Amino acid sequence: MPAELAPIDLDKAGQEMYELVADLYPICRSITGHGVRETLRRIQKRIPLLLREVPTGTRVFDWTVPKEWNIRDAYVKDWRGERVIDFQKSNLHVVSYSVPVRARLPLDELRGHLFTLPEQPDLVPYRTSYYREAWGFCLAHRRLLELADGQYEVCVDASLEPGHLTYGECHLPGETSEEVLISCHVCHPSLCNDNLSGIALSTLLAERLASRSCRYSYRFLFVPGTIGAITWLSQNEGAVERIRHGLVVTGVGDAGRITYKKSRRGDAEIDRAARHVLGRSGDDFEIREFSPYGYDERQFCSPGFDLPVGCLMRTPHGSYPQYHTSGDDLRFVHPSRLADSLAKCLQIFEVLEGNRTYVSQNPKCEPQLGRRGLYRAVGGQADPGQAEMAMLWVLNLSDGRHTLLDIAERSALPFSVVKRAADILGEHALLRESAGPSRALAERTGGRS
Amino acid sequence: MPAELAPIDLDKAGQEMYELVADLYPICRSITGHGVRETLRRIQKRIPLLLREVPTGTRVFDWTVPKEWNIRDAYVKDWRGERVIDFQKSNLHVVSYSVPVRARLPLDELRGHLFTLPEQPDLVPYRTSYYREAWGFCLAHRRLLELADGQYEVCVDASLEPGHLTYGECHLPGETSEEVLISCHVCHPSLCNDNLSGIALSTLLAERLASRSCRYSYRFLFVPGTIGAITWLSQNEGAVERIRHGLVVTGVGDAGRITYKKSRRGDAEIDRAARHVLGRSGDDFEIREFSPYGYDERQFCSPGFDLPVGCLMRTPHGSYPQYHTSGDDLRFVHPSRLADSLAKCLQIFEVLEGNRTYVSQNPKCEPQLGRRGLYRAVGGQADPGQAEMAMLWVLNLSDGRHTLLDIAERSALPFSVVKRAADILGEHALLRESAGPSRALAERTGGRS
Amino acid sequence: MPAELAPIDLDKAGQEMYELVADLYPICRSITGHGVRETLRRIQKRIPLLLREVPTGTRVFDWTVPKEWNIRDAYVKDWRGERVIDFQKSNLHVVSYSVPVRARLPLDELRGHLFTLPEQPDLVPYRTSYYREAWGFCLAHRRLLELADGQYEVCVDASLEPGHLTYGECHLPGETSEEVLISCHVCHPSLCNDNLSGIALSTLLAERLASRSCRYSYRFLFVPGTIGAITWLSQNEGAVERIRHGLVVTGVGDAGRITYKKSRRGDAEIDRAARHVLGRSGDDFEIREFSPYGYDERQFCSPGFDLPVGCLMRTPHGSYPQYHTSGDDLRFVHPSRLADSLAKCLQIFEVLEGNRTYVSQNPKCEPQLGRRGLYRAVGGQADPGQAEMAMLWVLNLSDGRHTLLDIAERSALPFSVVKRAADILGEHALLRESAGPSRALAERTGGRS
């Protein structure tokens, strides 16, 4: 990856991502339906995204693509005809995948279909009922307490019928067919951090990478959570062997510190690259061990695939009070945080792009750097600078068994400095690229499926 | 091992063990002789114990079964005919394996045969002279100071003659011929924590296991320390390859915290099971590294066997002031501590019994738990409960390379919860048992001798 | 190595080393020339040192042996004819390898050839210009400030002509042809800690080892830094495979704590021996990870050799203010510190000499130590002493896979105690020496080049 990837106008990128979040915010997305299609179409304006449609009933491993759900309107009216719960005001008010209903029923009976958060009485929760046919409404607990006894008119004007599951796929070819996978989920309605922030970051990332030549090919997935990832994996089993690194991007716009959750392997190259980048950022950060709960890393890291896919986020899901509530709105995400997440994402990919393995062409003793103009002329001074130290480290460890990231970690030097040293040494014919341990690993992984 | 093993009436068990200790306390045991036989006969009332008799002079590896020692009486009388040291009052007063003697000698000469503890002047020490023919008496140092100069009459009415070494063996067949070995020593006279507590715990453990069906076969050894274990190993070399796990049980009745001493291997399955159980008990505990000093783990873990045998105790030998003195009496052990040790022992075996390895039958992506009724129906809520997390962990790591204990450790969930999740998933045909790494290890170990 | 190596008259040895440092201090050494020869000749008075002469122009890997530099006089005179900078007062005043020059030039022009330490205004720096033909003078910054404007007469009466690079080599044959390499640099002029301390320690070490029979052969190199080590390696590639352990000795006379810098491998036997010795010394110490900067370990640990060579020093180069200045004089090194460094060096070699691997001849259960008089006769006492514990450890771990150093580390016993236990057990035919893991490793290493 060219060095120019890193210097990016972060203010501008942050603003653009925020505007994309705002643009997509009102759309009522679910795991299927027009909301996803409309979202993907707007992303298509920026990047070469293909929309894939998979018919209802398609078997995808242990699952089946569900019926397509579309909703036009939904409300609960009181006896005066006033909409006391109104889908038009917020799509969170309807339990996602609610079946159509038109009924009159007393408050006591209605209560069984209402979801609130008693401990956060001003927030509307986000609820779904994908795999059990039911209907329901979500509302602020304070609002529920205000509802008087009496008859209410309920309407969910939705359809749940055979159709398609829709997802988006954007493939950016690189120098090699080896791939980096970036995946985000697109199935949440008006929630900003949880789904829109990842969508926006993925979009700008793809936009940026599309304009450059990279070592790796990059594949972006914009998929409904769980069923979308399962569908893609089911229909692309052959493609999986090309994936060398992967990242699920989600919840990257809030004010919390950056968090990287490791792949199931725990020591995949992307795990080490992320740790290197976050550890040297100067910012607070957290590295989490893998767990089989979270986002679509659950599927990518299932034992039959065990892909080297981590997850980049800020505050992890479930650990901020606005999570899956109406509080996850446009005030909860920030252009500067989106930009910071994008920058760290690019830095991680920069490590992956540059993490090659070399063999010193002068393995016996040090080569004479001085006569090549690579070493200070006056001797006797104290320690050399970082650049000279990096050259010595690269020469010492370039035995075909250490990647540049290995060398950066052992020397405690920034990867970029080590990479630059390797580039200079390569220009002087002091290094030759080697298949290296990472390639050997990659081949083993690739040969797996 | 059935789950019902754990729920045990601990108060009752503790009381029974304490009564057994009290019953066996007066008997004068040594490494051979009637004391051991009488002890084993009383244990036979509770469990199917076979008494083995090995003749004096039998070669057992580098050792030889010694002569049989039996004692009827022993004393030191002063010139008034008063017994100033009297075996009838406590069998600790005679150095174990003292040769017969009848003599009159002055105090100065007698002193060379007297053993006391000057720093614990009220306690009688426990001393032996197994492999050098000698005689001696042990007494409280305060008592020694009271002895006036003068002639003393010494009598050890004992026999040291060709006979047998006696030990007890109880074999409980399980589903497989793979064995768990439990060993305790039976060679100490009136010492409660050091030998009787282990005898009592082993007896109740065998009693309990005898009434149930287990995956493993269990073999209990009640042997004289060192020479007994060496004799058993020497005469059962062929049986050793069946031993998958083992535990030396000793010093399990005092008030100290529970201590597990690892096997020589350090990472044997029983080492990990013990750490898991003790670490999650909520009680204070200690895990000790292996050392070639202590109890019969010295023999089981000698390099020619290197069996996966750990040692369960409370306060380690030598580190309590009552150790090997008359202070290790019926007040030093407690029913509740015996019960706690038994409970932890059972929990460790519960892990071993249940520690199987599985292969997910849906390794590619998660199986759809919801349609099997194994997952909550309403989506969007925060983290799932422990039971659901355990199912996700088991599915994710069941690739034939992780045992359930591996999964419990990586997920930081209790083994019992992970086991239950695996059972449920198995009932839904989502798992299939695999030979697994533990079996592969077991086979390697088994094929060793 | 005989145990008598350790008890050495340290006061006397410290004094002798200090006197050798003082004797060599005035000589103007550089990477070639008479200063090195004179230094080596004085060392020859004590040890059987061979002087090697390698002609200018000889190719040594990526390098070329440089012209030989010799200097007779050098000064800067002011207009009154007064020597304001005078080589006769201190050889540090001339930049090493300055080309001959005779000129008159104004102060402003002269300044470009003057080197000072503005932050240490009273000290004269040490500077070199080995691989770029130039001339220069070093002086105290305070002296520079005193120089008045005006014309100065400059003279460097030196020669830089084809000749030889000189180094010294001392080989002490041992029982086997396997070698321990000790290397020090001999290329610095009047600097005491940095070069003379290492020279003095190496000399006394060789003197001592020459008078004894050792398991290993020892090879001492007294070489100009970098180019000397490269030259030796280049001309002795075949000899490298015999090197089992190595130590660069440098900066061993200052008052700082002892420091061991690990070999590139990080877990070589000498790394572990040094850690064992320093960790048990009771003195403050530091273990440093390898880095490809420092002394000639850079060459010995280059990837094409990767020799198990560490570096023993006190305060590391560059981290004391007197480093490479006139402050590194006879007041900066101390007989007692030289002696302490020598003692630790000898202790490390003592571990290497004694670090053998054994196989117990009674691997099944413990052998009966008592009947061999190796174990106390009266049983029942608390823990045995260190000597008995060491025997038990050696017997337990002597399975051909543990060296005595492994056993010392695992048992937390001093190596000498473990060694003594092994010797006693060997005398009783309870152990047989085995090729062991260290030999297997040595063979792998030896077969490398």
Side-chain angles (χ1 to χ4, degrees):
Chain A
M1 182 177 289
E4 61 266 35
L5 253 186
I8 178 179
D9 184 340
L10 285 176
D11 284 351
K12 182 160 168 288
Q15 198 55 44
E16 286 185 51
M17 286 187 279
Y18 188 81
E19 281 163 16
L20 183 54
V21 167
D23 180 46
L24 301 173
Y25 181 60
I27 301 173
C28 181
R29 280 164 296 273
S30 185
I31 53 172
T32 61
H34 300 320
V36 173
R37 281 189 199 94
E38 176 58 21
T39 297
L40 297 178
R41 278 192 204 111
R42 296 195 191 179
I43 297 169
Q44 273 183 322
K45 293 178 190 165
R46 306 192 68 129
I47 59 172
L49 190 71
L50 294 175
L51 266 62
R52 313 283 192 183
E53 299 279 352
V54 181
T56 297
T58 304
R59 288 285 295 179
V60 287
F61 296 125
D62 191 52
W63 302 61
T64 305
V65 171
K67 291 178 190 165
E68 182 174 328
W69 184 69
N70 284 297
I71 184 165
R72 281 163 296 276
D73 195 7
Y75 56 81
V76 174
K77 281 186 185 165
D78 65 13
W79 51 94
R80 291 167 305 203
E82 194 188 334
R83 288 188 170 204
V84 295
I85 309 175
D86 186 0
F87 171 77
Q88 301 301 340
K89 289 195 177 152
S90 164
N91 53 40
L92 291 176
H93 280 312
V94 178
V95 169
S96 195
Y97 257 65
S98 281
V99 294
V101 66
R102 280 183 189 277
R104 294 183 66 87
L105 63 180
L107 181 59
D108 274 359
E109 210 173 311
L110 180 59
R111 277 185 203 279
H113 296 271
L114 300 183
F115 298 89
T116 69
L117 297 167
E119 297 185 0
Q120 296 171 287
D122 293 316
L123 298 179
V124 182
Y126 161 58
R127 291 289 177 269
T128 69
S129 187
Y130 295 143
Y131 300 104
R132 195 189 54 153
E133 296 207 350
W135 61 267
F137 287 85
C138 301
L139 68 162
H141 194 65
R142 206 178 296 285
R143 189 85 189 93
L144 174 62
L145 297 179
E146 292 165 3
L147 294 186
D149 280 345
Q151 288 290 106
Y152 287 86
E153 181 192 342
V154 171
C155 167
V156 174
D157 179 11
S159 62
L160 186 60
E161 294 166 352
H164 293 83
L165 174 143
T166 314
Y167 68 84
E169 188 166 7
C170 168
H171 180 254
L172 305 176
E175 291 167 24
T176 70
S177 62
E178 301 187 343
E179 288 187 8
V180 180
L181 181 77
I182 296 103
S183 176
C184 62
H185 63 289
V186 296
C187 53
H188 287 23
S190 293
L191 295 173
C192 283
N193 199 41
D194 191 359
N195 96 337
L196 293 180
S197 69
I199 293 170
L201 190 151
S202 297
T203 303
L204 263 80
L205 189 58
E207 197 174 35
R208 187 155 187 82
L209 294 172
S211 66
R212 284 189 173 44
S213 74
C214 294
R215 168 188 180 187
Y216 288 109
S217 298
Y218 285 78
R219 186 176 299 276
F220 289 79
L221 299 181
F222 296 79
V223 289
T226 304
I227 187 67
I230 293 170
T231 298
W232 184 83
L233 282 164
S234 171
Q235 302 205 325
N236 295 275
E237 279 197 67
V240 159
E241 66 181 59
R242 292 195 300 261
I243 297 173
R244 291 290 168 272
H245 319 286
L247 207 52
V248 170
V249 178
T250 175
V252 287
D254 66 277
R257 66 180 174 188
I258 197 92
T259 300
Y260 176 79
K261 174 182 164 182
K262 290 185 194 173
S263 76
R264 181 182 187 267
R265 300 181 186 181
D267 62 349
E269 197 172 334
I270 191 160
D271 298 327
R272 297 175 57 220
R275 188 181 56 200
H276 184 81
V277 166
L278 301 193
R280 301 204 132 259
S281 68
D283 300 330
D284 191 16
F285 69 96
E286 185 187 354
I287 304 286
R288 291 209 159 186
E289 293 302 319
F290 175 76
S291 106
Y293 192 69
Y295 292 95
D296 284 334
E297 68 276 11
R298 292 165 67 160
Q299 313 309 329
F300 299 123
C301 296
S302 58
F305 292 111
D306 194 20
L307 294 173
V309 175
C311 180
L312 193 74
M313 48 195 162
R314 301 196 76 91
T315 308
H317 65 88
S319 47
Y320 49 92
Q322 296 86 349
Y323 175 72
H324 277 193
T325 75
S326 54
D328 181 6
D329 61 12
L330 286 165
R331 289 165 303 182
F332 188 62
V333 297
H334 310 277
S336 66
R337 301 294 83 197
L338 289 162
D340 180 74
S341 301
L342 175 64
K344 289 185 164 62
C345 207
L346 283 167
Q347 287 161 20
I348 292 169
F349 291 160
E350 202 170 350
V351 171
L352 297 174
E353 287 276 329
N355 189 27
R356 297 175 190 266
T357 305
Y358 297 95
V359 174
S360 167
Q361 298 303 287
N362 290 68
K364 293 187 173 176
C365 300
E366 295 171 3
Q368 194 178 3
L369 297 177
R371 67 174 163 90
R372 294 173 175 91
L374 300 178
Y375 212 69
R376 63 200 167 179
V378 174
Q381 301 169 85
D383 275 12
Q386 210 179 40
E388 286 179 359
M389 278 308 295
M391 279 191 285
L392 293 176
W393 273 110
V394 170
L395 288 169
N396 187 268
L397 292 179
S398 283
D399 53 8
R401 291 179 292 119
H402 297 89
T403 67
L404 293 187
L405 181 54
D406 292 332
I407 298 173
E409 290 186 355
R410 182 151 173 194
S411 67
L413 291 168
F415 181 84
S416 57
V417 171
V418 170
K419 177 71 168 62
R420 204 172 313 130
D423 289 345
I424 291 170
L425 293 168
E427 288 162 15
H428 286 81
L430 291 169
L431 296 180
R432 175 175 58 74
E433 194 176 349
S434 135
S438 67
R439 185 56 45 101
L441 179 67
E443 277 159 7
R444 183 180 63 73
T445 309
R448 170 181 304 182
S449 65
Chain B
M1 183 177 289
E4 61 266 33
L5 252 187
I8 177 178
D9 184 339
L10 285 176
D11 285 349
K12 182 161 169 287
Q15 197 56 43
E16 287 184 52
M17 286 187 279
Y18 187 82
E19 283 163 16
L20 184 52
V21 167
D23 181 46
L24 301 173
Y25 181 60
I27 301 173
C28 182
R29 279 163 297 273
S30 184
I31 53 172
T32 61
H34 299 320
V36 173
R37 280 188 200 96
E38 176 59 21
T39 298
L40 298 178
R41 276 190 206 111
R42 296 197 192 177
I43 297 168
Q44 273 183 322
K45 294 178 189 165
R46 306 192 69 129
I47 60 172
L49 189 71
L50 294 175
L51 266 62
R52 312 284 192 183
E53 299 279 352
V54 182
T56 296
T58 305
R59 288 285 297 178
V60 287
F61 297 125
D62 190 52
W63 302 62
T64 305
V65 172
K67 291 178 190 165
E68 182 173 329
W69 184 68
N70 284 295
I71 185 165
R72 283 162 296 275
D73 196 7
Y75 55 81
V76 174
K77 280 187 186 166
D78 65 13
W79 49 95
R80 291 168 305 204
E82 193 187 334
R83 288 188 171 203
V84 295
I85 309 175
D86 186 0
F87 171 77
Q88 302 300 340
K89 288 194 178 153
S90 165
N91 53 40
L92 291 176
H93 280 312
V94 177
V95 170
S96 196
Y97 257 64
S98 282
V99 294
V101 65
R102 278 183 190 277
R104 294 184 65 88
L105 62 179
L107 181 59
D108 274 359
E109 208 171 316
L110 179 60
R111 276 185 204 279
H113 296 270
L114 301 184
F115 298 87
T116 68
L117 298 168
E119 297 185 0
Q120 296 171 290
D122 293 315
L123 298 180
V124 180
Y126 161 59
R127 291 289 177 269
T128 69
S129 186
Y130 295 142
Y131 300 103
R132 194 188 57 152
E133 296 208 350
W135 62 266
F137 287 84
C138 301
L139 68 163
H141 193 67
R142 206 178 297 283
R143 190 83 189 95
L144 173 62
L145 298 178
E146 293 164 2
L147 294 186
D149 279 343
Q151 288 289 106
Y152 286 88
E153 181 192 341
V154 170
C155 166
V156 175
D157 179 12
S159 61
L160 186 60
E161 295 166 351
H164 293 81
L165 174 144
T166 313
Y167 68 83
E169 188 165 9
C170 168
H171 181 255
L172 306 177
E175 292 167 24
T176 70
S177 63
E178 300 185 344
E179 287 187 7
V180 180
L181 180 78
I182 295 103
S183 177
C184 61
H185 63 288
V186 296
C187 53
H188 287 23
S190 293
L191 296 173
C192 283
N193 199 41
D194 191 359
N195 100 337
L196 294 180
S197 69
I199 293 169
L201 190 151
S202 297
T203 303
L204 263 79
L205 189 58
E207 196 175 38
R208 188 155 186 83
L209 294 172
S211 66
R212 282 187 176 44
S213 73
C214 294
R215 168 188 179 187
Y216 288 110
S217 298
Y218 285 78
R219 186 177 301 273
F220 289 80
L221 300 182
F222 295 79
V223 291
T226 306
I227 188 66
I230 292 171
T231 298
W232 185 83
L233 283 164
S234 171
Q235 302 205 323
N236 293 275
E237 278 196 70
V240 160
E241 67 182 60
R242 292 194 300 261
I243 298 173
R244 292 289 167 271
H245 320 285
L247 207 52
V248 169
V249 178
T250 175
V252 288
D254 66 277
R257 66 181 175 187
I258 197 95
T259 301
Y260 176 78
K261 174 182 166 183
K262 290 186 194 172
S263 76
R264 180 181 187 269
R265 299 181 186 181
D267 61 350
E269 197 172 333
I270 191 161
D271 299 327
R272 297 174 59 221
R275 188 181 57 201
H276 185 81
V277 166
L278 302 193
R280 302 203 131 258
S281 68
D283 299 331
D284 190 16
F285 69 97
E286 184 187 354
I287 304 286
R288 292 209 158 186
E289 293 301 319
F290 175 78
S291 105
Y293 192 70
Y295 293 95
D296 284 333
E297 68 276 10
R298 292 164 68 160
Q299 313 310 329
F300 299 123
C301 296
S302 58
F305 292 112
D306 195 20
L307 294 173
V309 174
C311 180
L312 192 74
M313 47 195 162
R314 301 197 76 88
T315 308
H317 66 88
S319 47
Y320 48 94
Q322 297 86 350
Y323 175 74
H324 277 192
T325 75
S326 55
D328 182 5
D329 62 12
L330 286 164
R331 289 164 303 181
F332 188 63
V333 297
H334 309 278
S336 66
R337 301 294 84 197
L338 289 162
D340 180 74
S341 301
L342 176 63
K344 289 184 164 64
C345 207
L346 284 166
Q347 287 161 22
I348 292 169
F349 291 160
E350 201 170 350
V351 171
L352 296 174
E353 286 277 329
N355 189 27
R356 296 173 190 268
T357 306
Y358 296 94
V359 174
S360 167
Q361 299 303 286
N362 291 67
K364 294 186 174 177
C365 301
E366 295 170 3
Q368 193 177 5
L369 296 178
R371 67 174 163 88
R372 295 173 174 89
L374 300 178
Y375 213 69
R376 65 206 163 170
V378 174
Q381 301 169 84
D383 275 12
Q386 208 179 42
E388 286 180 358
M389 277 308 295
M391 279 191 285
L392 293 176
W393 272 111
V394 170
L395 288 168
N396 187 268
L397 292 179
S398 284
D399 53 9
R401 291 180 289 120
H402 297 89
T403 67
L404 293 186
L405 181 55
D406 292 332
I407 298 173
E409 290 185 356
R410 182 152 173 193
S411 67
L413 291 168
F415 181 84
S416 58
V417 172
V418 169
K419 176 70 167 61
R420 203 172 312 128
D423 289 345
I424 292 169
L425 293 168
E427 288 162 16
H428 285 81
L430 291 169
L431 296 180
R432 175 176 56 75
E433 194 177 347
S434 137
S438 67
R439 186 53 49 98
L441 179 67
E443 277 159 5
R444 182 179 64 72
T445 310
R448 170 184 302 183
S449 63
Chain C
M1 183 176 288
E4 61 266 32
L5 253 187
I8 178 178
D9 183 339
L10 285 177
D11 285 349
K12 182 161 169 287
Q15 197 55 44
E16 287 185 51
M17 285 187 279
Y18 187 81
E19 282 163 16
L20 183 53
V21 167
D23 181 46
L24 301 173
Y25 181 59
I27 302 173
C28 181
R29 280 164 296 273
S30 184
I31 53 173
T32 60
H34 300 320
V36 174
R37 280 188 200 97
E38 176 59 23
T39 297
L40 298 179
R41 276 190 207 113
R42 297 197 190 178
I43 297 168
Q44 271 183 324
K45 294 178 191 166
R46 307 192 69 128
I47 59 172
L49 189 70
L50 294 176
L51 266 62
R52 312 283 192 183
E53 299 280 351
V54 183
T56 297
T58 305
R59 287 285 296 177
V60 287
F61 296 126
D62 191 51
W63 303 61
T64 305
V65 172
K67 291 179 190 163
E68 182 174 328
W69 184 69
N70 284 296
I71 184 164
R72 281 163 297 275
D73 195 7
Y75 55 80
V76 173
K77 281 187 185 164
D78 65 14
W79 50 93
R80 291 168 305 202
E82 193 188 333
R83 288 188 171 204
V84 295
I85 310 175
D86 186 0
F87 171 77
Q88 302 301 341
K89 289 193 178 154
S90 165
N91 53 39
L92 291 175
H93 280 312
V94 177
V95 170
S96 196
Y97 257 63
S98 282
V99 293
V101 66
R102 278 183 191 278
R104 294 183 67 86
L105 63 179
L107 181 59
D108 273 0
E109 208 172 313
L110 179 60
R111 278 185 204 279
H113 296 270
L114 301 183
F115 297 88
T116 68
L117 298 168
E119 296 185 359
Q120 296 171 289
D122 294 316
L123 297 180
V124 181
Y126 161 58
R127 291 290 177 268
T128 68
S129 187
Y130 296 141
Y131 300 104
R132 195 188 54 152
E133 297 207 349
W135 61 267
F137 286 85
C138 301
L139 67 163
H141 193 67
R142 206 178 295 285
R143 189 83 190 95
L144 174 62
L145 297 178
E146 291 165 3
L147 294 187
D149 279 344
Q151 286 291 106
Y152 286 87
E153 182 192 341
V154 170
C155 166
V156 174
D157 179 11
S159 61
L160 186 60
E161 294 165 352
H164 293 83
L165 175 143
T166 313
Y167 68 82
E169 188 166 7
C170 168
H171 180 254
L172 305 177
E175 291 167 24
T176 70
S177 62
E178 302 186 342
E179 287 186 7
V180 179
L181 181 78
I182 295 102
S183 177
C184 62
H185 63 289
V186 296
C187 53
H188 287 22
S190 293
L191 295 174
C192 283
N193 199 41
D194 190 359
N195 99 337
L196 293 180
S197 69
I199 293 169
L201 190 152
S202 297
T203 303
L204 263 80
L205 190 57
E207 197 174 35
R208 189 156 186 81
L209 293 172
S211 66
R212 288 200 171 32
S213 73
C214 295
R215 168 188 180 188
Y216 288 109
S217 298
Y218 285 78
R219 186 177 299 277
F220 289 80
L221 299 181
F222 295 80
V223 290
T226 305
I227 187 67
I230 293 171
T231 299
W232 184 84
L233 282 164
S234 171
Q235 303 205 323
N236 294 276
E237 279 196 68
V240 159
E241 67 182 60
R242 293 195 299 260
I243 298 173
R244 291 290 166 273
H245 320 286
L247 206 53
V248 170
V249 178
T250 176
V252 288
D254 65 278
R257 66 180 175 189
I258 197 94
T259 300
Y260 176 78
K261 174 182 165 182
K262 289 185 195 173
S263 75
R264 180 181 187 266
R265 299 181 185 181
D267 62 349
E269 198 173 333
I270 190 160
D271 299 327
R272 297 175 58 221
R275 188 181 57 203
H276 185 80
V277 166
L278 302 192
R280 300 203 134 259
S281 68
D283 299 329
D284 191 16
F285 69 97
E286 184 188 355
I287 305 285
R288 292 209 159 186
E289 293 301 321
F290 175 77
S291 106
Y293 193 70
Y295 292 96
D296 283 333
E297 68 276 11
R298 292 163 69 160
Q299 312 309 330
F300 299 122
C301 296
S302 57
F305 291 112
D306 195 19
L307 294 174
V309 174
C311 180
L312 193 74
M313 48 196 161
R314 301 196 76 89
T315 308
H317 65 87
S319 47
Y320 49 93
Q322 296 86 348
Y323 176 72
H324 277 192
T325 74
S326 54
D328 183 5
D329 61 12
L330 286 165
R331 289 165 302 182
F332 188 63
V333 296
H334 309 278
S336 66
R337 301 293 83 197
L338 288 162
D340 181 73
S341 300
L342 175 64
K344 288 184 165 65
C345 206
L346 283 167
Q347 287 161 21
I348 292 169
F349 291 160
E350 201 169 352
V351 171
L352 296 174
E353 286 278 328
N355 189 27
R356 298 172 189 267
T357 305
Y358 297 94
V359 175
S360 167
Q361 298 303 287
N362 291 68
K364 294 187 174 177
C365 300
E366 295 170 2
Q368 193 177 4
L369 296 178
R371 67 173 163 89
R372 295 173 174 90
L374 300 178
Y375 212 69
R376 66 207 163 171
V378 174
Q381 300 169 84
D383 275 12
Q386 211 179 37
E388 285 180 359
M389 277 309 294
M391 280 191 283
L392 294 175
W393 272 111
V394 170
L395 288 168
N396 187 268
L397 292 179
S398 283
D399 54 8
R401 292 179 290 118
H402 298 88
T403 67
L404 293 187
L405 181 54
D406 292 332
I407 297 173
E409 290 186 355
R410 182 152 173 191
S411 67
L413 291 168
F415 181 83
S416 57
V417 172
V418 169
K419 176 71 168 59
R420 202 173 313 130
D423 288 345
I424 292 169
L425 292 168
E427 287 162 15
H428 285 81
L430 291 168
L431 296 181
R432 176 176 55 76
E433 194 177 349
S434 136
S438 67
R439 187 54 47 99
L441 178 67
E443 277 159 6
R444 182 180 64 72
T445 310
R448 169 183 305 182
S449 65

